[in-house]
Amino acid sequence: AIIDKLQSSKAKIVALVLPKRATALQSIVNMKLLKRAAEQAEKQAVLITAESSLLPLAGATGMYVAKNLQSKPEIPLAPDSPFNSDEEVVANVDEEEIDPNKSVGELSGAATAGSAKKDKPKAANAKKPGGKKPKIPNFEKFRTKLFIGAGVFLVLLIGWYVAAFVMPRATIAIDSDTENVVSSFQFTANPELSQPIDGENTIPATLAEVDKNDTQTVTATGERDESARATGTVTFSISCGDVDNFPVTIPSGTGVSAQGKTYITQSTAVLSSPGGGGGCSFTGSSPVRAQNTGDQFNIGPANYSINGYSDVTGSGTAMTGGSSKVVTVVSENDVETAKRRIAVDDESVGTELVSKLQEQQQFAIKETLNTVDEKTDISPRVGQEADEVTVNYSAKFTMLGVSQENLEALIRENIADQVDLDRQGVQDYGLDNAAFTVAQTNPGGSVVISIDTDVVVGPDIDVDQLKTELSRQKRGEAESTIRALPGVRNVRVELSPFWVMRVPSNPNKTTINFEAVE
């Protein structure tokens, strides 16, 4: 019956889903018959079974086996004692070895192939007459598609979040009856205080500090000539009959020459001493030094001609000590180059200190930036012989910050005599564009600071409360809400990007600007 179903199938690959205890194929003869029938029909049969007792028979005959329709078919390992004869051999089936926790469908593939039910033995074809050929899913492709789908979903989710909560902005311009009031006064920022001092314009301050160190090394480029001049002694002599007047004087600085080299006398030689040997002559000597540096002026004893004294002869000792040597030294330019490479500047340090103060909810006063214990060490020093120079820089930088609430309170107090704050409110304290100047630094760290700012005074509108009220309102609703406020002449609400239709729920995404109406 199984061979008939195999031969009647139109498919080239036929999956045979075996029920439990498929006794028909627990015989090596039947297994070989099935294998031969498949080959004659030019088909490939695959046994769908999980019974370990059938695997040796399938391995001995070269039949493909798969645990289920989703598994890849393979030929099991043949037993150690292959079946070499056609004698029927019956497999030893031990019912206790069958896993009782697995259903018939799990063991036989009936849930997928629909070809076996419970314990009723039935050979099933992978393709029923008039039915569709079962298709084994490719789980690698399925998993790849699953990962791609999950990635696309995650990208879409992140894009939706950014588009819905990060990018939306609202800029609101309110034309109102406002006026600008100039506020100019001095106050003291004291880091040792914890509370403002009433009536003294003194408020607590926070001191932010940062230590900076940097080291730069550059190649030394300076040069120093340490060449030496050769030195020696020349003895001068002259005969009595060669001159009319004695003594003969050869002044210091006179040039004497031998072997094409010129040497300069270093002292005055007076030829006045009488010579010996029965003749009439006068002699004198002087130390000499080579005209130029260099070891080429090192020569042995020689006779010299004296410049300007043709009647005088000279004989000199060996000239020694001449040398040519130029050494590399540290120059001022080398030090300046290293200093320029020091990666510490007021702008970057100021930005860092401002960030520190903002993290502490303080309004940073950049003009209080101060440098403490600044040191610059240069090694070796300028002019010393070296191949390179190292510049070490260290300093402590400080900056003061104050509570913006305390600073705004001082501004309100300063303009109280110019504006009726019971009927009007401060819409902008102008701190972003305020001019601060350090007037005095006191012992203990307190600083007297001058402030000049333009304060915008107008309708008493609580900006924070207004932002909360406008949350999630459409453009028209927001404009109507603002126009209903006292002192408002006109309002313009701009939402961005283009797909945003409502004011963001996050107040930090909404900017409100007041513009005075003349």
Short mmCIF file of all heavy atoms in Angstrom, two decimals, residues 219-224 326-330 334 383-388:
data_model
loop_
_atom_site.label_atom_id
_atom_site.label_comp_id
_atom_site.label_asym_id
_atom_site.label_seq_id
_atom_site.Cartn_x
_atom_site.Cartn_y
_atom_site.Cartn_z
N THR A 219 60.25 71.29 19.32
CA THR A 219 61.67 71.17 18.98
C THR A 219 62.36 72.53 19.07
O THR A 219 61.83 73.54 18.61
CB THR A 219 61.82 70.60 17.56
OG1 THR A 219 61.17 69.34 17.48
CG2 THR A 219 63.28 70.44 17.19
N ALA A 220 63.53 72.54 19.71
CA ALA A 220 64.30 73.78 19.83
C ALA A 220 64.89 74.13 18.46
O ALA A 220 65.38 73.26 17.75
CB ALA A 220 65.40 73.63 20.87
N THR A 221 64.81 75.40 18.12
CA THR A 221 65.29 75.85 16.80
C THR A 221 66.38 76.92 16.91
O THR A 221 66.93 77.34 15.88
CB THR A 221 64.13 76.40 15.97
OG1 THR A 221 63.54 77.52 16.66
CG2 THR A 221 63.06 75.34 15.75
N GLY A 222 66.70 77.40 18.12
CA GLY A 222 67.73 78.43 18.26
C GLY A 222 69.13 77.85 18.04
O GLY A 222 69.35 76.65 18.16
N GLU A 223 70.06 78.72 17.70
CA GLU A 223 71.44 78.30 17.46
C GLU A 223 72.40 79.23 18.19
O GLU A 223 72.15 80.44 18.32
CB GLU A 223 71.77 78.30 15.96
CG GLU A 223 71.03 77.24 15.17
CD GLU A 223 71.46 77.23 13.71
OE1 GLU A 223 72.13 78.19 13.29
OE2 GLU A 223 71.12 76.27 12.99
N ARG A 224 73.52 78.64 18.65
CA ARG A 224 74.58 79.44 19.27
C ARG A 224 75.93 78.91 18.79
O ARG A 224 76.19 77.70 18.82
CB ARG A 224 74.51 79.36 20.79
CG ARG A 224 75.55 80.24 21.47
CD ARG A 224 75.37 80.30 22.97
NE ARG A 224 75.58 79.01 23.60
CZ ARG A 224 74.73 78.47 24.48
NH1 ARG A 224 73.60 79.09 24.77
NH2 ARG A 224 75.00 77.30 25.03
N VAL A 326 78.52 74.68 16.31
CA VAL A 326 77.27 75.43 16.45
C VAL A 326 76.28 74.51 17.19
O VAL A 326 76.00 73.40 16.74
CB VAL A 326 76.68 75.84 15.09
CG1 VAL A 326 75.34 76.54 15.27
CG2 VAL A 326 77.65 76.74 14.35
N VAL A 327 75.76 74.94 18.33
CA VAL A 327 74.86 74.11 19.14
C VAL A 327 73.43 74.64 19.03
O VAL A 327 73.20 75.82 18.75
CB VAL A 327 75.31 74.09 20.61
CG1 VAL A 327 76.68 73.47 20.74
CG2 VAL A 327 75.29 75.51 21.21
N THR A 328 72.47 73.72 19.26
CA THR A 328 71.03 74.07 19.26
C THR A 328 70.63 74.49 20.65
O THR A 328 70.90 73.79 21.64
CB THR A 328 70.18 72.87 18.82
OG1 THR A 328 70.58 72.46 17.51
CG2 THR A 328 68.70 73.24 18.79
N VAL A 329 69.98 75.63 20.74
CA VAL A 329 69.55 76.16 22.03
C VAL A 329 68.07 76.53 21.97
O VAL A 329 67.48 76.63 20.90
CB VAL A 329 70.39 77.39 22.43
CG1 VAL A 329 71.85 77.02 22.60
CG2 VAL A 329 70.23 78.51 21.40
N VAL A 330 67.47 76.73 23.13
CA VAL A 330 66.07 77.15 23.23
C VAL A 330 65.98 78.64 22.95
O VAL A 330 66.70 79.44 23.53
CB VAL A 330 65.50 76.83 24.63
CG1 VAL A 330 64.07 77.33 24.75
CG2 VAL A 330 65.57 75.34 24.90
N ASP A 334 60.67 79.53 20.29
CA ASP A 334 60.29 78.16 20.64
C ASP A 334 59.31 78.15 21.82
O ASP A 334 58.32 77.42 21.82
CB ASP A 334 61.53 77.34 21.00
CG ASP A 334 62.51 77.23 19.85
OD1 ASP A 334 62.06 77.32 18.69
OD2 ASP A 334 63.72 77.09 20.10
N GLY A 383 67.97 80.00 25.88
CA GLY A 383 69.41 80.14 25.73
C GLY A 383 70.19 78.92 26.12
O GLY A 383 71.37 78.81 25.78
N GLN A 384 69.53 77.95 26.81
CA GLN A 384 70.24 76.75 27.19
C GLN A 384 70.28 75.76 26.02
O GLN A 384 69.35 75.69 25.21
CB GLN A 384 69.58 76.09 28.40
CG GLN A 384 69.71 76.91 29.68
CD GLN A 384 69.11 76.19 30.88
OE1 GLN A 384 68.38 75.24 30.73
NE2 GLN A 384 69.44 76.68 32.07
N GLU A 385 71.37 75.00 25.97
CA GLU A 385 71.52 74.02 24.89
C GLU A 385 70.53 72.88 25.11
O GLU A 385 70.46 72.29 26.20
CB GLU A 385 72.95 73.49 24.86
CG GLU A 385 73.19 72.47 23.75
CD GLU A 385 74.63 71.98 23.72
OE1 GLU A 385 75.46 72.51 24.50
OE2 GLU A 385 74.92 71.07 22.93
N ALA A 386 69.73 72.56 24.08
CA ALA A 386 68.74 71.48 24.17
C ALA A 386 68.18 71.19 22.79
O ALA A 386 68.22 72.05 21.89
CB ALA A 386 67.61 71.85 25.12
N ASP A 387 67.64 69.97 22.63
CA ASP A 387 67.00 69.61 21.37
C ASP A 387 65.52 69.97 21.37
O ASP A 387 64.91 70.10 20.31
CB ASP A 387 67.15 68.11 21.11
CG ASP A 387 68.61 67.71 20.87
OD1 ASP A 387 69.35 68.55 20.31
OD2 ASP A 387 68.99 66.59 21.24
N GLU A 388 64.92 70.12 22.54
CA GLU A 388 63.51 70.47 22.63
C GLU A 388 63.25 71.22 23.93
O GLU A 388 64.07 71.18 24.86
CB GLU A 388 62.62 69.22 22.55
CG GLU A 388 62.88 68.20 23.65
CD GLU A 388 62.05 66.94 23.48
OE1 GLU A 388 61.59 66.70 22.35
OE2 GLU A 388 61.88 66.20 24.47
#
